[in-house]
Amino acid sequence: MNEMISEKTMSLSSRPVRLGFLGVGWIGRHRMQAIIDTGIAEAVAIADPSVDMAAEAKKIVPGAALANDFDGLLAHSLDGIVIATPSAQHADQSIRALRAGVSVFCQKPLGRSAEEVAAVVGAARASDRLLGVDFSYRHTAGMNRIREIVRTEELGKIFAADLVFHNAYGPDKPWFYDKAESGGGCLMDLGVHLVDMALWSLDFPAVASVSGHLMAGGRPINDHQVEDYAVANVTLGDGMAVRLACSWRLQAGREAIVEASFYGTNGGISMRNVDGSFYDFTLERFYGTSRETLIEPPDDWGGRAAAGWARRLAAGERYDPACEKIIDVGKVIDRIYSSSREAAYKAPMA
């Protein structure tokens, strides 16, 4: 195995990484630009069912070939593929690429359930290929500092965390509102980030219990709806309490509310967005009634996850067992949906 890794490292370090891009809407093009800007990768081919989206992507990488579909991309002898397609396609497309010997960087969620996520991780392990998921908030300066401070126990015992992601807008593509295509609503779209931020910051502790409440249009959802408001309580194995809330189209007086706050016996720390921005964050540390600003904007974090994956691929990295923790995120999301359904069934009839 060491000889195989050494050969792969030599072959990739001597030339640009050959990448294919599947799905080149706004997110796909943004991640493409971030990767190309590293100078260590080339866009060999792109594929998107939208002629307009493909044309926009060609403006960034005019030398890339246009493939008709997923199989057309794989025909270009790729080292890796970047996937930014509807959620229902993520697991299947990732597995097919990995089984073809191609490393994968996929938009979140990696799967619509923990079972789908585990299948992708299993394919990465079996093929010994690098798997990355765009949990982009891990790569903000604020969340990295939070993780560092939590690990050093500067705040004492962390006993509570509150994470929020409210978006004044809803998605503009119909598939987001089709449960079969999306896997869920704002919890699957935004809440998956919150779950990952919490578990990642705390080094993925055991989860003791999960409860959730999901709503659409101000009422509990039925089996055929996707939620536009979600709240959840997660109790960790050591008794720590984690509260999560996310929404689409919340009447909140600003474009977005994004916060991640952690509270310990000796202090607290909080990353918050500035003036409703989706991109600008401050980080503050709390001691009693006083506060200290640790980080202020700007912080160009949006493409760091994609660029980091490309750099690791160029360095010859293969399967990384750390990706198995993505399954833990999927399990918590599953339990939130499950607990919400159970609560709905137990609710008294009107």
Side-chain angles (χ1 to χ4, degrees):
M1 179 64 74
N2 289 339
E3 291 180 0
M4 290 175 60
I5 293 175
S6 177
E7 290 173 2
K8 186 70 171 178
T9 301
M10 291 176 63
S11 64
L12 290 184
S13 62
S14 62
R15 60 168 174 79
V17 177
R18 293 173 57 84
L19 299 181
F21 291 84
L22 180 63
V24 287
W26 186 89
I27 288 287
R29 295 197 305 276
H30 184 273
R31 301 313 187 244
M32 173 193 289
Q33 186 71 68
I35 290 172
I36 297 303
D37 286 348
T38 66
I40 51 89
E42 63 175 326
V44 175
I46 58 178
D48 195 292
S50 167
V51 174
D52 292 339
M53 295 299 98
E56 288 297 314
K58 284 280 283 183
K59 294 177 182 178
I60 300 172
V61 287
L66 285 176
N68 291 327
D69 52 24
F70 180 79
D71 291 327
L73 277 183
L74 294 183
H76 285 271
S77 300
L78 304 174
D79 299 312
I81 188 168
V82 177
I83 297 173
T85 55
S87 299
Q89 302 172 27
H90 289 178
D92 179 66
Q93 290 168 342
S94 295
I95 290 170
R96 290 174 62 193
L98 291 162
R99 287 177 176 171
V102 177
S103 292
V104 168
F105 182 80
C106 186
Q107 275 304 305
K108 56 75 191 169
L110 183 57
R112 295 166 295 178
S113 65
E115 182 179 11
E116 286 191 349
V117 173
V120 179
V121 171
R125 185 189 306 113
S127 62
D128 192 25
R129 288 296 182 269
L130 186 64
L131 172 63
V133 176
D134 198 4
F135 284 130
S136 51
Y137 290 90
R138 288 188 186 185
H139 298 266
T140 59
M143 286 308 302
N144 272 271
R145 192 68 176 277
I146 284 175
R147 190 176 193 232
E148 174 188 326
I149 288 174
V150 167
R151 283 182 161 189
T152 59
E153 300 182 352
E154 291 180 36
L155 304 179
K157 174 178 170 51
I158 304 297
F159 61 87
D162 293 333
L163 296 98
V164 172
F165 197 152
H166 296 305
N167 186 342
Y169 310 102
D172 60 358
K173 296 180 176 62
W175 66 262
F176 276 96
Y177 303 94
D178 182 336
K179 193 171 183 179
E181 286 291 303
S182 63
C186 63
L187 177 62
M188 192 67 70
D189 181 35
L190 307 176
V192 68
H193 279 303
L194 302 182
V195 173
D196 180 70
M197 290 158 68
L199 297 184
W200 175 78
S201 298
L202 300 165
D203 284 331
F204 289 91
V207 175
S209 65
V210 176
S211 64
H213 183 61
L214 309 179
M215 306 178 77
R219 300 179 62 84
I221 63 170
N222 60 43
D223 288 341
H224 306 292
Q225 291 177 303
V226 297
E227 70 283 355
D228 59 25
Y229 187 86
V231 292
N233 291 291
V234 179
T235 303
L236 303 182
D238 65 354
M240 179 180 172
V242 179
R243 298 190 300 177
L244 311 169
C246 61
S247 66
W248 291 333
R249 296 182 299 275
L250 188 71
Q251 311 295 323
R254 65 190 76 178
E255 291 191 326
I257 301 173
V258 187
E259 300 179 3
S261 301
F262 294 76
Y263 301 100
T265 53
N266 295 334
I269 192 164
S270 181
M271 184 180 83
R272 292 186 172 96
N273 66 323
V274 179
D275 296 329
S277 171
F278 287 94
Y279 308 105
D280 295 329
F281 293 92
T282 60
L283 181 70
E284 293 182 312
R285 181 159 45 191
F286 309 135
Y287 296 102
T289 58
S290 65
R291 61 180 62 201
E292 173 190 8
T293 300
L294 302 181
I295 294 175
E296 294 182 313
D299 177 27
D300 188 15
W301 54 272
R304 282 181 187 152
W309 170 83
R311 290 191 182 97
R312 295 177 66 192
L313 185 59
E317 291 194 34
R318 292 183 176 239
Y319 179 71
D320 181 0
C323 71
E324 295 167 14
K325 296 300 184 182
I326 306 169
I327 302 171
D328 294 349
V329 176
K331 287 180 178 178
V332 172
I333 296 293
D334 281 357
R335 291 174 70 176
I336 295 173
Y337 280 117
S338 177
S339 68
S340 177
R341 287 193 297 269
E342 290 174 2
Y345 293 145
K346 293 177 182 179
M349 296 294 290

